[in-house]
């Protein structure tokens, strides 16, 4: 079974600064997807960024980027130029490709507070 | 497009009562999921479906039943509610062609007294 660990239950950052959220996972699979989802206080969860394990290049989406270290089974999220709207709970998720109906395993989340 | 919608948004039940949560998606997604989220924890998969007429158990299925009679709808039932089922319930959908990204509903906050 796959496990996803987010070791930072809570983090805070000053507006306009950079913050990195950690995620590690455990799997014996070689082909998989990794995701970061954001859950703002309004509760609806949305995708922030996705990484396919076979791609060596780290995914980026505007101010969000990942540091994917496949050998170390690490998938951290970097938020640059933090904004007040980034305040949310962030979940790391793992999914084995093709074989399991798209089921994802989620970490317990990191609550990020951006301070003005 | 409305995306994924859930009905109701809030509900209070007494122990032993039954209820059904409705999830609807208008994105023509094949896969649908029901999760529960408890304080300080991530999402735990209750049941899921890979297509109309098919359902399967997830990580925490006990006390819940599901049905997917139409592709766009996924129902979660509680036959005899227990206080341990107090939680926030999320529905999600996905499809392989979209890289399995899950699209979530706004959640249902259920309290069982």
């Amino acid at each position: 079974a796959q496990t996803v660990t987010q070791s930072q239950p809570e983090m805070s950052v000053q507006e306009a600064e950079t913050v990195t959220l950690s995620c590690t996972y455990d799997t014996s699979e070689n082909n998989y997807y990794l995701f970061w989802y954001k859950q703002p206080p309004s509760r609806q969860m949305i995708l922030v960024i996705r990484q396919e394990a076979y791609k060596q290049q780290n995914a980026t989406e505007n101010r969000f980027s990942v540091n994917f270290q496949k050998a170390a089974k690490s998938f951290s999220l970097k938020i640059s130029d933090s904004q007040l709207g980034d305040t949310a709970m962030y979940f790391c998720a793992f999914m084995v490709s093709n074989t399991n109906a798209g089921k994802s395993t989620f970490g317990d989340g990191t609550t990020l507070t951006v301070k003005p | 497009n409305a995306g994924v919608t859930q009905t109701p948004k809030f509900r209070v039940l007494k122990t032993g009562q039954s209820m059904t949560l409705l999830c609807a998606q208008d994105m023509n997604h094949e896969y649908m999921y029901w999760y529960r989220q408890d304080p300080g924890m991530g999402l735990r998969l209750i049941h899921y479906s890979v297509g109309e007429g098919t359902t399967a158990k997830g990580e925490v299925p006990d006390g819940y039943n599901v049905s997917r009679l139409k592709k766009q709808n996924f129902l979660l039932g509680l036959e005899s509610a227990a206080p341990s089922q107090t939680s926030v319930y999320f529905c999600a959908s996905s499809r392989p062609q979209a890289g399995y990204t899950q699209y979530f509903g706004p959640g249902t906050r259920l309290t069982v007294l």
Side-chain angles (χ1 to χ4, degrees), chain A residues 2 8 12 19 30 38 64 70 74 76 78 80 105:
Chain A
Q2 287 76 31
Q8 306 150 314
S12 64
V19 64
N30 193 47
K38 170 185 177 182
F64 299 88
K70 190 172 184 179
S74 171
S76 61
K78 185 172 81 171
S80 303
T105 300

Side-chain angles (χ1 to χ4, degrees), chain A residues 25 27 29-34 50-57 68 70 75 94-95 97:
Chain A
Y25 56 95
T27 185
E29 302 288 341
N30 193 47
N31 297 316
Y32 50 86
Y33 292 87
L34 292 160
R50 178 178 68 235
Q51 176 82 39
E52 297 170 60
Y54 72 88
K55 291 186 178 179
Q56 292 186 341
Q57 186 173 4
F68 174 45
K70 190 172 184 179
F75 184 60
F94 170 96
M95 194 208 80
S97 301

